[in-house]
Amino acid sequence: MVEGIQRDNAIRQALRKHLPDGVDTALVDVALYRAQAEVLRTFDGMGEDDTAASPKEVAAAVRALKALVETMRHKRSFEREVREDERKKTVEAAERAAQRAGASAEVIATIRKDILMGAA
C-alpha cells in the first residue's frame, strides 16, 4: 500500500513538473484509449484459443488492466488539481481587481465565494 501511495505521488509530481499549467490532456487521453484497446484485445484473444490462457498470462493481463485504471485515476486527479489551481488564481486576480476598484471587504468576500462555489 505504501509503495502504491509513493508511486501515485511520483506520477502526480511528474505530471505537474512536465505539463504546463492548464495543459490539455488530450494526448494522455489518446494514450489511455490505445492502452484500453490493447488490454481489451488481450482479454478477447484469450478466449479465441482452444487452450485456456495460462495463469501467468491472465495475471499479466489483469496487472495491465489495473495499471490502466490507476493511470486513469491519476489523470482525473491531476485535472482536478489543475482546475483548483486555476480557481485559486482567478480568485486572487478578482480580489486584486476589486481592491483596486475600492470594493469593500464584504464585496470581495462575496466575489471569492461566488467564484469558488460556482466551480463546485
Side-chain angles (χ1 to χ4, degrees), residues 33-43:
Y33 293 137
R34 184 170 176 141
Q36 283 176 323
E38 290 300 319
V39 168
L40 291 173
R41 257 184 254 149
T42 299
F43 278 113

Side-chain angles (χ1 to χ4, degrees), residues 37-110:
E38 290 300 319
V39 168
L40 291 173
R41 257 184 254 149
T42 299
F43 278 113
D44 188 47
M46 287 180 175
E48 291 179 2
D49 293 339
D50 289 337
T51 60
S54 73
K56 187 175 183 178
E57 291 171 324
V58 173
V62 169
R63 279 193 307 273
L65 180 60
K66 181 181 176 194
L68 177 62
V69 170
E70 286 178 15
T71 302
M72 294 167 85
R73 286 183 186 138
H74 293 309
K75 178 186 171 282
R76 189 172 50 230
S77 175
F78 171 75
E79 289 171 336
R80 265 186 296 220
E81 288 174 14
V82 168
R83 284 191 303 272
E84 182 63 27
D85 286 344
E86 291 301 316
R87 280 193 295 272
K88 288 177 183 177
K89 289 176 186 175
T90 300
V91 166
E92 291 168 2
E95 286 177 339
R96 284 192 302 273
Q99 287 170 348
R100 282 194 308 272
S104 68
E106 182 178 303
V107 170
I108 292 172
T110 301

